[in-house]
Amino acid sequence: MKAEPRVPDEALAAIRAPFAEAGAEAVDPPILQPLGALLDLAGEALRARLFIVQAEGGAEACLRPDFTVPVARLHLERGAGEGRYYYEGRAFRAAPEQSGRAEEFLQIGLELYSPADAPVIEADAEIAALAWATALAGGREDLALWLGDVALFSAFVDSLGLAGPLADRLKRAAARPRLLQAELARAGAVEAPVQGGQLAATLAALPPDAAAALLEEVWSLAGVERVGGRGAAEIAQRLVSRAEAARAPALTETQAEAIRRFLAIDAAPAEALVQLSELGGADPAFAAALDGWRARLARLAAAGVPAAAIRFAAGLGHTFDYYDGLTFEVRSAALGAGRPVAVGGRYDGLSARLGGPSARAVGAMARPWRAFAGGEA
């Protein structure tokens, strides 16, 4: 496993300072994390990027690929209503062959939790401004802050008046660019191929207990040995849910074109908001969401983020699909979009997906070796 070089102490101290001095509790979640929870959040495609371990007869685990989910699990275990957590430690992701990229690297970050009814705009601006300050402290002079918003996409989808199942499917794909492009590609189709085929259709016609029993029987007859922590009932339900979603109506070509125009918006924030306003028409919920963005941008300016350094990209998403509001990346022109210096966003729905109560949550992570002007090139 290739490890990232160390950032010089003086430079690292400057880079960590904005996060470390934000009044947060320092935490260090376990390096080993349950594999199933991460794959549920990011999909099986992430498996190839993970370092997986399994005790004999036990559930699969992996080395933490980042800190957001581990910190969320720690917060839930404490049963706290709110929290502010700072972390600094090693994360692990398998790199493509011949890429030369480090597979063990340092991350620092900040995660903010507040009650479910707390306002979001101030916290969004605070965390994005801290990520900008952290990245800038490394000495690079080619940085830009890229902003997006999964919730804004959801509001736009609602303005189109789509059938409920179709709108829900689009919203779930909002933070996953590949899934969203696949949905757009099937525009005009009468019916999508059913994921899981006849087996999924058969399971859908059965009560949950009977569906799980049938799946166990199929595995037994096929000599399939189940690996990992997912049970037959959970897998059966996922097959049924995907099959039902696939049967939902597809977008019309007109609807797909409107979404493509939305996703193509990539401009300075003021210009982007004008384009979005023209595209969203008079829908009041969408207009209110745009007003929220004007407030965020004003707070970012007050925090010292220069307007000239900001871009708004309506289609900005991340690897994990738990982001459901603000998304952002601090990018270096030298490193490109594929190697952001810092990333983050809002993930209010993550607590519930992990089995806990609803909560407001927003966070950011930075890679010091990328932030350091003498570091990654």
Side-chain angles (χ1 to χ4, degrees), residues 22-84:
E25 174 189 356
V27 295
D28 185 17
I31 287 180
L32 281 181
Q33 293 291 313
L35 177 66
L38 287 170
L39 294 182
D40 286 343
L41 294 169
E44 287 289 338
L46 184 65
R47 183 184 285 268
R49 299 291 313 279
L50 301 176
F51 289 98
I52 298 171
V53 296
Q54 181 178 21
E56 186 174 352
E60 289 179 302
C62 65
L63 302 182
R64 61 190 180 206
D66 77 351
F67 280 80
T68 301
V69 173
V71 172
R73 295 179 67 237
L74 182 151
H75 176 74
L76 291 176
E77 288 168 3
R78 292 182 172 188
E82 55 188 302
R84 180 178 284 248

Side-chain angles (χ1 to χ4, degrees), residues 47 150 157 174 192 251 266 289 358:
R47 183 184 285 268
V150 177
V157 167
L251 290 163
D266 179 348
S358 297

Side-chain angles (χ1 to χ4, degrees), residues 296-319:
R296 284 185 186 87
L297 291 168
R299 288 186 177 276
L300 286 171
V305 182
I310 302 177
R311 298 284 294 184
F312 189 96
L316 184 67
H318 296 326
T319 299

Side-chain angles (χ1 to χ4, degrees), residues 172-220:
R172 287 194 296 270
R176 305 279 295 281
R178 290 182 182 179
L179 292 181
L180 191 53
Q181 290 305 318
E183 194 64 50
L184 294 173
R186 63 177 286 256
V190 176
E191 183 175 301
V194 177
Q195 299 183 35
Q198 186 59 44
L199 175 59
T202 301
L203 295 174
L206 297 173
D209 290 348
L214 176 59
L215 191 56
E216 291 275 15
E217 184 177 348
V218 170
W219 286 341
S220 177

